[in-house]
């Protein structure tokens, strides 16, 4: 194989790697999400004893992020809940949600395009949300 062909293949391989990383960062939070898991602290025994997983799985709660920057946390099927605004920085992957005078900030990571994980700044709280496809 000629050196130029080898260099071209190597360059293509490197660029493909960068493209895959950019696709990871391009996931959108816009849409409707259901809470599927919540972890507070690192005590797994306390989590199991609390029954939080069964509570979360039975909850009708949804998180809705609109393109306009508006946020809703619907606590029931009647639409009651919290409303506010949000800002998501795709580069730092920091999500800030504002409702009333309160602001929650979390680091966002992804497990595919339809599974979003929020971690608090101190790392003690972690929630997992699954995209709801209506």
């Amino acid at each position: 194989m000629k050196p130029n062909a080898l260099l071209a293949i190597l360059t293509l391989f490197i660029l493909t790697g960068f493209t895959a990383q950019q696709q990871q960062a391009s996931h959108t939070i816009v849409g409707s999400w259901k809470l599927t898991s919540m972890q507070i602290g690192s005590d797994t025994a306390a989590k199991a004893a609390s029954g939080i997983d069964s509570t979360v799985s039975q909850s009708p709660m949804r998180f809705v992020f609109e393109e306009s920057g508006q946020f809703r946390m619907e606590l029931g099927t009647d639409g009651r809940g919290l409303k506010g605004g949000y800002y998501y920085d795709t580069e730092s992957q920091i999500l800030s949600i504002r409702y009333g005078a309160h602001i929650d900030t979390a680091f966002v990571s992804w497990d595919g395009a339809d599974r979003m994980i929020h971690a608090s700044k101190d790392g003690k709280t972690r929630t997992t949300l699954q995209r709801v496809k209506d």
Side-chain angles (χ1 to χ4, degrees), residues 12-95:
L12 182 61
F13 179 74
I14 291 169
L15 290 175
T16 302
F18 286 128
T19 303
Q21 290 174 356
Q22 288 173 350
Q23 288 174 341
Q24 173 70 15
S26 70
H27 296 317
T28 179
I29 67 169
V30 172
S32 183
W33 300 84
K34 180 171 177 29
L35 182 65
T36 59
S37 173
M38 178 179 275
Q39 182 176 342
I40 300 172
S42 59
D43 187 349
T44 54
K47 179 183 175 186
S50 73
I52 196 163
D53 283 337
S54 66
T55 302
V56 165
S57 68
Q58 295 173 12
S59 172
M61 181 174 29
R62 283 193 182 192
F63 297 83
V64 180
F65 297 92
E66 298 174 359
E67 284 187 53
S68 65
Q70 294 300 301
F71 163 79
R72 292 188 321 271
M73 181 172 45
E74 299 171 349
L75 300 175
T77 55
D78 60 358
R80 64 186 163 82
L82 298 172
K83 295 180 181 183
Y86 77 91
Y87 176 74
Y88 176 56
D89 184 334
T90 56
E91 288 188 33
S92 67
Q93 300 210 3
I94 300 292
L95 172 65

Side-chain angles (χ1 to χ4, degrees), residues 35-40 63 106 116-120 125-129:
L35 182 65
T36 59
S37 173
M38 178 179 275
Q39 182 176 342
I40 300 172
F63 297 83
M116 178 173 35
I117 299 129
H118 295 177
S120 62
T125 304
R126 180 181 164 115
T127 57
T128 303
L129 299 138

